[in-house]
Amino acid sequence: AEVVTKRRIGIIFALYFLYFSQPAIDQVPFPIPITEVYLNELEQFYQNTLLTIENADCAVIFYKLCSLDAFQLVQQEDLVQHPPQ
């Protein structure tokens, strides 16, 4: 379980880095596309795991992403059309 927690924390840090380092048009970064299922999982992870002293830094950056509306809900997970095989 600890490996999964560390991986999720790493993913949140990577999303934060990518969101704030992207070139922005009119100083507004493009939102991070995410399905409702994954966003709910992230929010549960925030509530159940990140709100501890050990994970406070990750909790702060996740909160910042949410407060800036960095996530954009999408209907489907795969937005790229793949040719039939």
Side-chain angles (χ1 to χ4, degrees), residues 42-80:
L42 276 176
E43 289 172 346
Q44 286 179 354
F45 182 66
Y46 172 77
Q47 292 291 330
N48 298 331
T49 305
L50 295 182
L51 293 179
T52 64
I53 295 297
E54 298 87 23
N55 301 313
D57 52 351
C58 190
V60 168
I61 66 166
F62 181 72
Y63 179 82
K64 185 172 182 179
L65 286 169
C66 290
S67 67
L68 294 173
D69 293 325
F71 298 105
Q72 180 181 30
L73 290 178
V74 294
Q75 290 294 320
Q76 59 190 28
E77 186 175 328
D78 186 17
L79 298 177
V80 178

Side-chain angles (χ1 to χ4, degrees), residues 1-38:
E2 187 172 323
V3 171
V4 173
T5 299
K6 288 181 179 182
R7 186 175 293 145
R8 288 181 178 180
I9 288 172
I11 289 169
I12 292 171
F13 274 99
L15 289 173
Y16 180 84
F17 171 75
L18 291 171
Y19 183 75
F20 287 103
S21 66
Q22 66 179 310
I25 298 173
D26 296 329
Q27 305 301 324
V28 179
F30 290 101
I32 302 165
I34 190 169
T35 63
E36 187 173 2
V37 171
Y38 286 134

